[in-house]
Amino acid sequence: MNSTGNFVTQSIIFFDYNEFKDLPLISDQVRSIVEPALWFAMLILNVMGVVTNVINIRVFIEQGVKNDSTNIGFLCLSVSDLLACATLIPHALCTIVIYTDGLAKYLTCNAFAIPFGYGHVALQNMSTWITVYISLIRTLCVLFPLKVKLMFTPRLTTIVVLSIFVFFLAVQLMYAVNTTLVWVFEPIFNATVAYVLDSPLSQIVVYYHQLITNQISPGLAVIILSINSLLMTHKLIQVKKWRVKNTSDPSTLAKEEQTSKSTDPTKMASKDIELIKFINTTAGIFLVCNLMGFIPGVAVMVFPDVSFNGINKNLFFITFFVRFLFDSINASINFFFYIRVSSRYKSAFATAFNIRLIQDEKETQ
């Protein structure tokens, strides 16, 4: 009994939390390995994202945006994704600096790149809510085709997109103004290094900023998009059943496919079915990638001193870098799904970039 008691006592003392509470959850060594790997991956993804979103913008302009709210939404989404990718490239390039100019220059480069990160967070939230708006338009148009289509005008879509941008820019500025760039002479490097430090109010500001941008905003978006996707998927199932039932009468089926204005909820045009699949694909990519967006907010709210210069600053940066990695995936891969899912996108892509002309020239040769 005594030996068992001694073992228990010694075990409790050995794992006493007080002995380790001042140690960071992620060490500098772990961060030095994980951070460059994440940023190298992001550099590739974001360069690809800039290219693919330039293509998307050209294609949606080719499809026409003057009288089509959904196309305006997709065009604005591509612009937002393009800028979201571009604002992460400076930070990713700093990873190369550590191997070319050393750690001191890397830290300074990183400090100057952080404001681009502020812009990225605002743009990523903007992309999130543009996706929600596009999904909401199509869901309501599917459920109430005669009542809703005239409500979502191009003018209304432009106003909504601008409102989304202004709101998240204001939220991000609230965070940005509570950090400051300082220069510190580091004897270990024998050089002056730039750092970003929190203001005295930063802990409160960071908490509410993370609550809005990483918890409330994506949480509501996930709920709304999930409901919209379920409703549109249910609609597709209804249409599929109706088509199977009516395949015996091709003339009736062809007649119904010529119009998308039928009041019968089971009768839709092929172009509407394709558009639903197109929007569901975009929403699905967002939902998968957005799950990782909750990580930084959870870290800030659960663990102590998770901030720019807190004990757990390494955890603060790593969780944000993981979130940025999935942001990069979300913003850069839509093109590959668009061209696979949508024949209309594929046709506009071929016209915009003269793909058919190139194919014809090859065949002639």
Side-chain angles (χ1 to χ4, degrees), residues 11-25:
S11 298
I12 292 172
I13 293 172
F14 181 77
F15 292 107
D16 186 2
Y17 172 75
N18 292 326
E19 187 177 345
F20 298 97
K21 67 179 182 179
D22 293 329
L23 295 177
L25 294 170

Side-chain angles (χ1 to χ4, degrees), residues 31 102-112 186 189 193-195:
R31 181 182 169 186
L103 183 57
K105 290 286 181 68
Y106 165 75
L107 292 172
T108 299
C109 180
N110 188 54
F112 278 97
E186 294 285 8
F189 302 126
V193 178
Y195 293 102

Side-chain angles (χ1 to χ4, degrees), residues 162-198:
L162 288 174
S163 300
I164 291 169
F165 177 74
V166 169
F167 174 78
F168 284 107
L169 182 63
V171 170
Q172 197 60 28
L173 284 174
M174 176 185 72
Y175 179 46
V177 297
N178 280 277
T179 60
T180 183
L181 188 71
V182 297
W183 291 89
V184 179
F185 179 77
E186 294 285 8
I188 191 172
F189 302 126
N190 193 30
T192 302
V193 178
Y195 293 102
V196 174
L197 296 180
D198 297 334

Side-chain angles (χ1 to χ4, degrees), residues 339-358:
I339 204 163
R340 183 178 179 84
V341 171
S342 174
S343 60
R344 187 184 175 204
Y345 182 96
K346 209 178 299 182
S347 175
F349 173 77
T351 303
F353 294 98
N354 296 319
I355 302 297
R356 289 178 182 174
L357 179 61
I358 293 171

Side-chain angles (χ1 to χ4, degrees), residues 57-363:
I57 291 167
R58 178 69 184 89
V59 171
F60 289 126
I61 291 174
E62 179 67 30
Q63 287 182 352
V65 294
K66 288 184 179 179
N67 300 310
D68 192 328
S69 293
T70 303
N71 265 10
I72 291 173
F74 275 113
L75 176 64
C76 293
L77 177 62
S78 297
V79 172
S80 181
D81 283 345
L82 168 64
L83 295 174
C85 288
T87 50
L88 285 182
I89 289 176
H91 209 143
L93 289 173
C94 288
T95 307
I96 299 173
V97 173
I98 196 171
Y99 298 104
T100 58
D101 297 320
L103 183 57
K105 290 286 181 68
Y106 165 75
L107 292 172
T108 299
C109 180
N110 188 54
F112 278 97
I114 283 173
F116 290 97
Y118 297 151
H120 170 79
V121 174
L123 288 161
Q124 184 60 32
N125 275 278
M126 182 180 173
S127 294
T128 294
W129 284 96
I130 292 174
T131 304
V132 171
Y133 179 72
I134 295 169
S135 178
L136 189 60
I137 289 177
R138 187 45 47 183
T139 301
L140 292 176
C141 285
V142 165
L143 297 177
F144 312 104
L146 299 180
K147 297 180 180 179
V148 175
K149 282 189 176 182
L150 296 177
M151 291 173 55
F152 291 100
T153 62
R155 184 167 182 263
L156 175 62
T157 300
T158 303
I159 292 171
V160 169
V161 169
L162 288 174
S163 300
I164 291 169
F165 177 74
V166 169
F167 174 78
F168 284 107
L169 182 63
V171 170
Q172 197 60 28
L173 284 174
M174 176 185 72
Y175 179 46
V177 297
N178 280 277
T179 60
T180 183
L181 188 71
V182 297
W183 291 89
V184 179
F185 179 77
E186 294 285 8
I188 191 172
F189 302 126
N190 193 30
T192 302
V193 178
Y195 293 102
V196 174
L197 296 180
D198 297 334
S199 73
L201 294 176
S202 64
Q203 287 302 310
I204 297 173
V205 173
V206 166
Y207 178 86
Y208 285 105
H209 174 267
Q210 297 305 315
L211 188 65
I212 294 170
T213 61
N214 287 318
Q215 300 298 313
I216 295 175
S217 170
L220 283 174
V222 165
I223 292 170
I224 295 171
L225 278 172
S226 298
I227 293 171
N228 288 345
S229 295
L230 287 172
L231 288 172
M232 285 194 284
T233 301
H234 176 67
K235 179 70 174 182
L236 283 175
I237 293 171
Q238 281 187 317
V239 171
K240 219 177 236 185
K241 288 180 179 178
W242 178 84
R243 287 180 182 278
V244 170
K245 186 179 178 181
N246 290 276
T247 47
S248 58
D249 188 355
S251 61
T252 304
L253 184 61
K255 184 179 178 181
E256 293 298 342
E257 284 186 339
Q258 289 174 1
T259 176
S260 61
K261 296 180 180 180
S262 174
T263 55
D264 189 334
T266 60
K267 299 175 184 178
M268 298 170 60
S270 297
K271 65 177 183 179
D272 286 332
I273 295 172
E274 186 177 272
L275 184 56
I276 289 174
K277 291 179 180 178
F278 189 66
I279 293 170
N280 271 351
T281 299
T282 304
I285 295 168
F286 164 80
L287 289 171
V288 171
C289 295
N290 199 58
L291 291 175
M292 302 306 293
F294 290 98
I295 291 178
V298 171
V300 167
M301 285 186 266
V302 172
F303 299 103
D305 295 318
V306 179
S307 63
F308 276 117
N309 53 345
I311 294 171
N312 283 307
K313 64 181 179 181
N314 291 338
L315 178 63
F316 177 84
F317 284 109
I318 291 298
T319 54
F320 265 97
F321 297 159
V322 170
R323 178 247 173 99
F324 288 163
L325 176 65
F326 280 87
D327 286 352
S328 302
I329 294 171
N330 183 41
S332 62
I333 65 173
N334 281 331
F335 164 77
F336 301 102
F337 289 93
Y338 290 170
I339 204 163
R340 183 178 179 84
V341 171
S342 174
S343 60
R344 187 184 175 204
Y345 182 96
K346 209 178 299 182
S347 175
F349 173 77
T351 303
F353 294 98
N354 296 319
I355 302 297
R356 289 178 182 174
L357 179 61
I358 293 171
Q359 288 176 344
D360 291 341
E361 287 176 355
K362 287 182 178 179
E363 289 174 4

